[in-house]
Amino acid sequence: MTSQTKPIKKVVLAYSGGLDTSIILKWLQQTYGAEVVTFTADLGQGEELEPARAKALMLGIKPENIYIEDLREEFVRDYVFPMFRANALYEGIYLLGTSIARPLISKRQIEIARATGADAVCHGATGKGNDQVRFELSYYALEPSIRIIAPWRDWSFKSREDLIAFAEQNQIPIAKDKRGEAPFSVDANLLHSSSEGKVLEDPNVEPPQYVFQRTVSPEEAPDKPTVITIGFKQGDAVSINGTPMSPATILATLNDYGRENGIGRVDLVENRFVGMKSRGIYETPGGTILWHAHRAIESITLDRGAMHLKDELMPRYAELVYYGFWFSPEREMLQAAIDKSQEHVEGVVTLKLYKGNVIVTGRESPKSLYSSTLVTFEDDKGAYDQKDAAGFIKLNALRLRTLGQRDRQG
Amino acid sequence: MTSQTKPIKKVVLAYSGGLDTSIILKWLQQTYGAEVVTFTADLGQGEELEPARAKALMLGIKPENIYIEDLREEFVRDYVFPMFRANALYEGIYLLGTSIARPLISKRQIEIARATGADAVCHGATGKGNDQVRFELSYYALEPSIRIIAPWRDWSFKSREDLIAFAEQNQIPIAKDKRGEAPFSVDANLLHSSSEGKVLEDPNVEPPQYVFQRTVSPEEAPDKPTVITIGFKQGDAVSINGTPMSPATILATLNDYGRENGIGRVDLVENRFVGMKSRGIYETPGGTILWHAHRAIESITLDRGAMHLKDELMPRYAELVYYGFWFSPEREMLQAAIDKSQEHVEGVVTLKLYKGNVIVTGRESPKSLYSSTLVTFEDDKGAYDQKDAAGFIKLNALRLRTLGQRDRQG
Amino acid sequence: MTSQTKPIKKVVLAYSGGLDTSIILKWLQQTYGAEVVTFTADLGQGEELEPARAKALMLGIKPENIYIEDLREEFVRDYVFPMFRANALYEGIYLLGTSIARPLISKRQIEIARATGADAVCHGATGKGNDQVRFELSYYALEPSIRIIAPWRDWSFKSREDLIAFAEQNQIPIAKDKRGEAPFSVDANLLHSSSEGKVLEDPNVEPPQYVFQRTVSPEEAPDKPTVITIGFKQGDAVSINGTPMSPATILATLNDYGRENGIGRVDLVENRFVGMKSRGIYETPGGTILWHAHRAIESITLDRGAMHLKDELMPRYAELVYYGFWFSPEREMLQAAIDKSQEHVEGVVTLKLYKGNVIVTGRESPKSLYSSTLVTFEDDKGAYDQKDAAGFIKLNALRLRTLGQRDRQG
Amino acid sequence: MTSQTKPIKKVVLAYSGGLDTSIILKWLQQTYGAEVVTFTADLGQGEELEPARAKALMLGIKPENIYIEDLREEFVRDYVFPMFRANALYEGIYLLGTSIARPLISKRQIEIARATGADAVCHGATGKGNDQVRFELSYYALEPSIRIIAPWRDWSFKSREDLIAFAEQNQIPIAKDKRGEAPFSVDANLLHSSSEGKVLEDPNVEPPQYVFQRTVSPEEAPDKPTVITIGFKQGDAVSINGTPMSPATILATLNDYGRENGIGRVDLVENRFVGMKSRGIYETPGGTILWHAHRAIESITLDRGAMHLKDELMPRYAELVYYGFWFSPEREMLQAAIDKSQEHVEGVVTLKLYKGNVIVTGRESPKSLYSSTLVTFEDDKGAYDQKDAAGFIKLNALRLRTLGQRDRQG
């Protein structure tokens, strides 16, 4: 859309403060002669952010070009919760913990680019994964003429050794354990942590226990169940054990419950948008609890027509989120449909957490559509006339009978 | 289609040998003056069938009118397995254990009606449930002019006492524990057992432990995991721990593993086809293991396009099975699509069973589409050119960029 | 869900003023001893309403119980237009002209029932058609405890002669041409007129020309094309030939254009919700023009993702409208998704109307997403880099290549 | 998958014999030093093939490397007809005439590559269109390690003048009218011809009449209708006016009927897979007639469940064909579902063709599911009990009533 030949003047880098993005930072300065703006966000990954500031300063970033933000509430409220309203599961299993974080990071990078007059953005995702797609589709959707730098696709480094050498040449501090290659790669935020690569590459080999970061194993979990309740309002969790909490606090609290009880581990071979299969280990303790609780509260407050339509739309919704089309008209259309259904999804779900199991033991709601009067085997006082079933079946069968007669003649 | 006014001469009754269907048997004889043919099938419900023969004889059924059949292999091979190829879950959770048994029973009733020259069939399902629909849609699809008798909708008995009184008047033996009303009602076959009604009617009250029949609770399950492997061929399980087994043996064996390890309990509020919500407790130990194993073998052998299409079609497929449309063109169309996808779904899945958890720890296949060469973080020797990702993203983004420019002007 | 045994005190009848609904009126008075409230609506069927008032008075209805309303604007604005945003076609062809009128009539009947304290509503649809379902589902959705009277299913009249005899006994005036049976039955409103039954029952016989009421045949239409423009805003037509018009005026004007040019005739065998196939002749002159125009304006203003999602959802939406589920959560969810997509659907479409043809010859919009710069065969000044296509194809092909290699080994 | 650095030895070129592909031919010889195999197919585009042979020889192609084939029957039987079973329309309108030809050409190129030991294939599609994607996805699916040459993306020619200069330097004959740029570009085969580009680029300007190649305009068509019948068997057309014909003869004959009667013109703005909107003029005379006839024969022979499922799957199927995923598991799954539904789609449809209109006037079938007995307003002798409708409606309404009660309380 715009010529790609103009020099880049200022670039907003998604900066973690770690070795890899520090190398990118230096490489950007050297390759483009561009001013670098660093953006470091707390999405609940569990790392301190201030060291990133110190490191950025050390690498020559101007103080006014360092953005450090706590986005945890926005992340859960505007991204995680809307997605959970859809009961989204990618390929039947994956709760999309990495996918859902990318649009928010992208959005803030674009906003910072506007605020600082930057003409480019940069991310640290590799050229084989989905994240590059998620970042870049979001960037482009929000700012069609933005320049995008994806160093892992562009630079000439060929190996870990090349990167370390570059770091050393440029006085980038290298933690001891970062010299060699990590045995697997990790992504984390308040919703989940994922691990993939290297020691996990053979899908027929069980992941070693040291891969797991956020949950005890079911075997190590307590021998006694933990019982909790989650309150919902308009499809979103609003309280735990009767205590109202903010979205991020809800998820953090559920993470604690899940971690202790060995909940939310998934070992999956999934299909990437870029075309290959990959094996991932995900830990989504709080999200797993939330998914079950949300379905349970829907089970008594959502009409059948709404629920079945949601179930049919869900795989598409999950695919869109996974592929990186959060900021697309079709995701927004599906969200509008889903949100429309959640108006009366409220009430309280009781759950028993036990060694990897999330067991729904109760659900109640002032908006319940469950009627024991209708369903009872006992006298229902005329609420339902069993004779109606005969006509219902007869007309549902009519086309099948016509068909049966035809096929018989065939 | 045919006049309903002709007298019924002979009726094929789905007969369990229990009190309720014995009452129906007598009621049919008295109400219609019709000859009754009893059909008792072993679908793995775990009850002896010969007592049904003795009882039928005692109630005046001619020996040649008593059909007792072991349908377990046909049930699993032609009904359960095709459904599991679809990964079918009703409302995200229910493995359709009751639904899938009805079409086979109906089909055999119709075949026996043809063989014996019967003009009617009869089932013992109530007028509030889904089973009446499943039975009758199947009857009508297979034999459009059949007469159907649904005593629970038609007779004048108003209470348990009325039924007991009728039984006593007609010398139908009544087991002691059948005099009063059961605290809940049960359906069982090789795939699952379900419990509903009475003590289970409040969805906010945890089911009492005595409801469960087929599984120990996760708490009671062994403290050590059990590791098994399941072999697949064309989408169906064909072996356990390397030993080839028949379909019914596979399911029975998985039921044993599941029972011991507390696997497959579901406590659900579901939407019935007849329009109300009901609460059901399902135990599907072997089916739950099989579902996870099937998805795992698909994860390495099924192409992304096929898998995502299957995932989108699945809710509809499950709805059709649940509603009773097994013998419908649309279910058969979906089955054709699903079966087409399963040609190469073969290999071996390793599972760890532990206190309610089914943990996939390995999957391998001679038909695997997983390529560690493609996915590796290390040198892939040119299998994948990261530069391609740039063009891939650019063209995927093109419409979003055009849109972004338009909306900006808006 | 209230007892059906209480006597009915007051009933709101959908009353056309014609013979059939006059018979129903009398029959209601006699059968239920109930006070009758008549509701006569102008939905553009092209009949005077005041004669209905006179006739109702003559049949003993109190003046305050006679409701006569012009609903044309509400009909088009709140029912027809939202449906056209979806491009709804039932079974690929039918523009749903009858289906879409029923919810509005039902809604007003329920509102009048509330206003007048009536405990029942009554419609004149037969027991074989879809309309009974559409009326009654709407009644029940809006007023769950309403009593519904469907005389055609309930009364004991067996033939036209019986009805005429009843009319004569009750001093109901009978127009000469109503004594015998009509050669076909008609429904009409501002969107369409439909004809079915009797002389139309053989789907292999062309309908006689006298069946058509609202259009000249293509053969009779002028030999010169008529060119018009339609302006759109947020997905709805707002002007014709540059002149802003109200929704009903738009549709009426398009009807005139369509009628003269032989546009909008459909001869269809369709599948009714009650289970049988029926043959209908529909004339939807204005609606047919509108449908083409709406797709044309969408073609330049709607993103591909939005359009394809709309196309996939459309058959379900149309089915819901046809079946009578207008007032259902799932229709409302789909509507929310569709409406979300229409925000920027604005601009002007030029159409040539000629002997049955609606030919789009131009479309323009301030919100156009069409870019001749992008698409041109000539120099596009870097808007699109053809090299990107290589990467795009390579990654889209990756899974197919992996599959091809696997299948080769197979 | 294979290294791209090895020299190319032999390449199979999709060769029309025209100027552009002759330039490509020479360019391949010069750029790669490769032996060129030409493949020229008759798909009904209406051009003589033998001149292509003479030209290829003249350009130095060995006689044994010249493949000229008549693929019309295979094209219609194995590509067009399966697609018409699906009633496929892209974006509601486009009959996919270009899209469906590409997989067959690709398949033959790959087969010829195997037969001749070629290591590469080459097509003449540009870098902005869908055809490059369709060709290349098909190549890769069928032969994952094939090398693909797409000259329009790769060569350094920048303008028409460059190409003409290259042709002159290389003694490639240049027809007079090919010196300048064509006012629009054309693709043609037995199903359709398409025109796009240049004079058609403004979507608000009506296409000039000289663009149309294959149909008279409705205005020029005869003043008298033409009546024809089409016979179907298993979803495919098998006869016209009672005369059995081969697939290609059927389509050619329908093209004649359509051409004369001004049928099958479409003027469309569509969304390309590569991300931009483009404007196309399509003429599909025979296909348009066939589409209407197929829906008509389905209307009496296809069950509602099958038809509605087909309608819901159709947009996805059309998208897959348009995007180039003919040889994909998901298209094959959908085809399996569709083909399953066509078993009894047989009978005869009568059509009136008149100035652009395709008017269905009759349909009959030995497998008809239409029953005038069921649908009649007159006495149906008990085929349908109107009382059944009451129960049907009551149970369909049950969830809506429950919902209405709940929402009232809300």
Side-chain angles (χ1 to χ4, degrees), chain D residues 321-332:
Chain D
V321 174
Y322 183 87
Y323 285 6
F325 289 94
W326 182 264
F327 296 112
S328 72
E330 60 271 35
R331 204 276 311 169
E332 290 168 2

Side-chain angles (χ1 to χ4, degrees), chain B residues 49-92:
Chain B
L49 303 189
E50 283 308 314
R53 184 188 307 278
K55 205 150 168 200
L57 286 168
M58 195 196 71
L59 293 168
I61 306 303
K62 297 183 205 158
E64 68 268 28
N65 278 345
I66 300 175
Y67 285 76
I68 294 187
E69 299 180 359
D70 180 350
L71 299 179
R72 287 175 296 176
E73 289 295 347
E74 184 177 0
F75 175 51
V76 181
R77 186 186 65 231
D78 296 344
Y79 296 79
V80 174
F81 275 9
M83 183 174 78
F84 272 75
R85 283 176 220 142
N87 301 321
L89 289 178
Y90 183 67
E91 300 190 343

